[in-house]
Amino acid sequence: MKSSKLSSPSIIALVCCLLWGPSQAFQPSQVRHNLRVSSPTIRSVISAANLPTKDQFATQLYSQADNDDVYTVQILMSDTGGGHRASANALRDAFDVLHPGKIQCDIVDIYTDYAPIWPFNDVVNLYKFMAKYPITWAILFYSGASPFGIWFGDIILELITFDAFKKCLARPSGTTGKRADMVVSVHPLCQQVPLKALADLDTGGATREMSARKTPFCTVVTDLGGAHPTWFNPGVDKCFVPSDVLRQAAKDRLLGEGQLIQHGLPIRRGFWSSNSAGTTKSQESLREELEINKSLPTVLIVGGGDGMGGIVSIAESLGAELGAASSASQMVVVCGNNQQAKEALEAKTWGPGVSVEVKGFVNNMDEWMRASDVLVTKAGPGTIAEASICGLPCMMFAFLPGQEAGNIPYVEDSGFGKYSDQPDTIASTVSGWLKSPDMLKRMQESALTAARPEATLDIARDLAEIVFATRDSAKGEKVAVRR
C-alpha cells in the first residue's frame, strides 16, 4: 500500500490556515539573531557584566530619565517584509522627538522570538519564499479568509501561541522593570491573541475576554490601499488607518468611528518633511552629494531590500529605451541585497543616451528619491507613501496578491503613477513621462497632494496622549486624544 502524501497546495493551505486569524478577505478595487550562549566562561562574563537578557532587550530606545517619569510602549511586529520594523522604528524615533527621555520602546518580533513551534517561529523565511512565488502568497492570503481558515486559525493560534505571547507581553519593558504601559501592533497577526493575553494578565488569569483588558492596545495599520482583515479587531482601543479605503475596511470589521484615527502611514524619519515644504535640500545639491549628474532627468529603480520583482529585465529594457533617445538622461538602480542583479547590471554596456549608476543596499533612500524625477518600484505601501512625499511619479511593476493589489488603484486614482509588469511597457511609459515635462509636473503635484509627511509624528503624538492618560487617569486626570 502506497503512503499518501500531501500535495504542495495542500501543505501551503494548511500553513495558511495556521498563520491567519479570523476574518474574511478584504480586497479593495480588486536582523533577527537569537543569541545562544553555551560556554560557561562566556556566560559568567555576561552575568558579571549584568547585560540585559533576551527578555529585557529587543530593538529598544532607552532615554535617560527617572523610572517614575518613564512610560513604556511595547510594539509588536514580525519581520515579514521590511515595512513593519521600519514603521516600529519610525514611531520610536517620533516618540523621542516629541517627548525626549519620556517614552521607551520595546520592539519585538513576537513570532520569531516567542512562537514555540514551526511554522509560527519561521514566518520570516516563509514570507521570503512566498514573495518569490506570489501564487503561494495568494493562497495564504485568501485561504485565511475561508470559513475553515477562520475557524481553524482562531483555535490553532490561541492554542499554540497564547502562553508564549503572554510571556512576551509580561516581560519588563525599557528600564522600568515592569511590563509595558501600552501595547501597539504594527502587524496583522498581532491583534487577536495578544489582546486575549493582555486580558489574562490584567485580570490575574481570571479571563481572556478582551473586554476585561485594562492595558491600552492600539493598532497602527502599515498597509495602504488594501489590507487583510486581521488588521481590524474591534477589541482595540484605537486603530490608526492611512487611507479612506482602509477606514471603510475597518468599519466593515465592526470597528466604531470613535476607534478610528486617520493620519497616514508611519514612515522613516528622512521623509518627515515634504518637498513642497521648502525644508529639504535642493535636487541639484543632492545630486552633487550623491555624485550623479546635476542636470540630467533621473529615473530611480528600486526592488525593495531584496531587489525582487525582475529588476534586471526592467532596468535593461528601460536602459535600452533611454540609451537610444535623442536627449540624455540617467538611471539609478538600487538592487538591495540582490548581489546577482547588481553584478549583472554592472557588467552591462549601455547606450550613449543614458548614464547608469548601480547600487546595492542603501541607507539614504530619502536622498535618492528626492534627487530623482521618476520612481520605478514594487507597489509596496511604504515606498509609495515615501514617494508621494518626495513628489515622485511612480511606475509600479510588481505587487503581492492581496493587500498590495489595492495600492495600484490608490496610486493611479491619485494621479501620480501607472502599473505594468511588462518591461517594454514600463520602458516606453517612463520614457514618455520624461519627454513630457508638463505631464511630469502634473504627476509630481498629484503626488505631493497625496503626501502625508506629518503622519508619523501625528500618530506618535496620539499614542503618547493615550499612554500618558493611562497613568493620569489613576490620579483622577483625563487626557483627550485628537482625531
Side-chain angles (χ1 to χ4, degrees):
M1 182 178 177
K2 294 182 180 179
S3 62
S4 61
K5 294 183 179 179
L6 285 173
S7 66
S8 294
S10 299
I11 294 172
I12 300 252
L14 178 59
V15 172
C16 299
C17 295
L18 289 170
L19 290 178
W20 287 102
S23 59
Q24 57 183 11
F26 169 74
Q27 178 55 56
S29 316
Q30 276 309 89
V31 205
R32 191 86 282 105
H33 300 287
N34 288 327
L35 180 62
R36 301 186 186 281
V37 180
S38 57
S39 165
T41 303
I42 296 175
R43 280 202 306 269
S44 65
V45 170
I46 290 176
S47 176
N50 196 28
L51 295 176
T53 65
K54 172 185 165 185
D55 280 354
Q56 295 168 329
F57 181 85
T59 306
Q60 298 175 347
L61 178 67
Y62 288 138
S63 301
Q64 297 303 315
D66 294 334
N67 282 349
D68 289 343
D69 297 327
V70 169
Y71 297 78
T72 53
V73 177
Q74 188 175 69
I75 305 180
L76 305 179
M77 45 74 69
S78 174
D79 280 310
T80 49
H84 302 293
R85 184 172 292 277
S87 294
N89 289 339
L91 291 173
R92 175 203 63 195
D93 293 345
F95 285 139
D96 202 50
V97 167
L98 293 168
H99 304 283
K102 197 80 171 169
I103 297 176
Q104 295 179 353
C105 287
D106 178 16
I107 302 174
V108 193
D109 183 338
I110 193 170
Y111 281 86
T112 299
D113 290 349
Y114 282 91
I117 62 172
W118 191 92
F120 305 100
N121 58 8
D122 199 29
V123 292
V124 175
N125 287 325
L126 285 170
Y127 171 83
K128 289 179 179 177
F129 170 82
M130 289 181 284
K132 277 188 176 180
Y133 306 98
I135 184 60
T136 61
W137 181 262
I139 296 171
L140 169 68
F141 190 92
Y142 293 110
S143 65
S146 69
F148 179 75
I150 294 169
W151 173 79
F152 192 63
D154 234 1
I155 293 174
I156 293 299
L157 270 175
E158 186 170 352
L159 179 66
I160 293 178
T161 66
F162 182 87
D163 289 337
F165 286 5
K166 180 180 172 182
K167 179 182 177 183
C168 173
L169 293 162
R171 82 187 206 175
S173 286
T175 58
T176 64
K178 300 178 292 185
R179 65 184 176 95
D181 295 309
M182 179 168 70
V183 177
V184 175
S185 165
V186 293
H187 195 279
L189 294 181
C190 295
Q191 268 72 232
Q192 181 78 4
V193 176
L195 280 165
K196 290 189 172 185
L198 270 184
D200 187 88
L201 286 169
D202 287 345
T203 61
T207 181
R208 297 183 182 184
E209 289 296 324
M210 296 180 196
S211 58
R213 173 184 55 81
K214 294 188 174 18
T215 302
F217 188 108
C218 297
T219 297
V220 178
V221 180
T222 63
D223 283 317
L224 184 60
H228 197 281
T230 48
W231 273 114
F232 310 113
N233 192 305
V236 304
D237 294 300
K238 298 291 179 183
C239 180
F240 292 81
V241 294
S243 62
D244 292 340
V245 70
L246 293 194
R247 189 183 194 95
Q248 185 56 51
K251 290 180 180 179
D252 291 344
R253 291 283 297 158
L254 304 181
L255 274 81
E257 186 64 40
Q259 292 175 283
L260 302 177
I261 302 175
Q262 185 173 336
H263 292 309
L265 276 181
I267 50 175
R268 291 172 288 184
R269 188 169 184 170
F271 296 94
W272 289 359
S273 62
S274 170
N275 276 13
S276 62
T279 57
T280 58
K281 294 180 182 178
S282 70
Q283 191 177 73
E284 185 176 289
S285 64
L286 279 170
R287 289 179 179 179
E288 187 172 12
E289 290 179 12
L290 295 169
E291 299 181 341
I292 59 176
N293 192 292
K294 293 190 292 184
S295 58
L296 291 181
T298 304
V299 178
L300 176 65
I301 304 177
V302 299
D306 295 316
M308 296 177 179
I311 194 171
V312 172
S313 60
I314 291 167
E316 289 176 340
S317 293
L318 182 53
E321 181 90 17
L322 298 178
S326 57
S327 56
S329 61
Q330 63 187 343
M331 184 172 75
V332 178
V333 188
V334 178
C335 299
N337 295 317
N338 191 333
Q339 186 64 24
Q340 186 176 0
K342 183 174 183 289
E343 292 172 357
L345 292 172
E346 286 176 332
K348 186 167 180 61
T349 301
W350 305 92
V354 64
S355 172
V356 179
E357 184 83 15
V358 181
K359 297 288 185 181
F361 189 88
V362 300
N363 292 313
N364 58 339
M365 186 57 73
D366 57 313
E367 294 180 344
W368 284 107
M369 282 194 182
R370 294 184 196 278
S372 302
D373 298 299
V374 173
L375 176 67
V376 181
T377 180
K378 178 177 172 286
T383 303
I384 290 170
E386 292 167 352
S388 68
I389 289 169
C390 297
L392 205 51
C394 295
M395 183 72 224
M396 299 167 289
F397 59 79
F399 64 92
L400 281 178
Q403 76 275 19
E404 287 187 356
N407 296 339
I408 293 168
Y410 175 86
V411 172
E412 293 183 336
D413 293 347
S414 297
F416 67 99
K418 294 291 183 184
Y419 168 80
S420 175
D421 59 359
Q422 299 300 311
D424 290 345
T425 302
I426 293 168
S428 60
T429 301
V430 171
S431 177
W433 291 350
L434 295 181
K435 291 174 183 176
S436 178
D438 289 342
M439 178 188 295
L440 204 57
K441 184 177 180 180
R442 287 196 301 271
M443 295 176 72
Q444 290 167 345
E445 290 172 349
S446 295
L448 289 171
T449 299
R452 299 292 180 268
E454 299 296 326
T456 310
L457 290 169
D458 287 339
I459 294 168
R461 190 176 289 110
D462 285 349
L463 290 172
E465 289 177 1
I466 293 170
V467 73
F468 294 159
T470 304
R471 196 175 293 175
D472 292 341
S473 64
K475 303 174 184 176
E477 302 174 14
K478 200 165 186 177
V479 178
V481 178
R482 298 176 308 109
R483 289 184 177 81

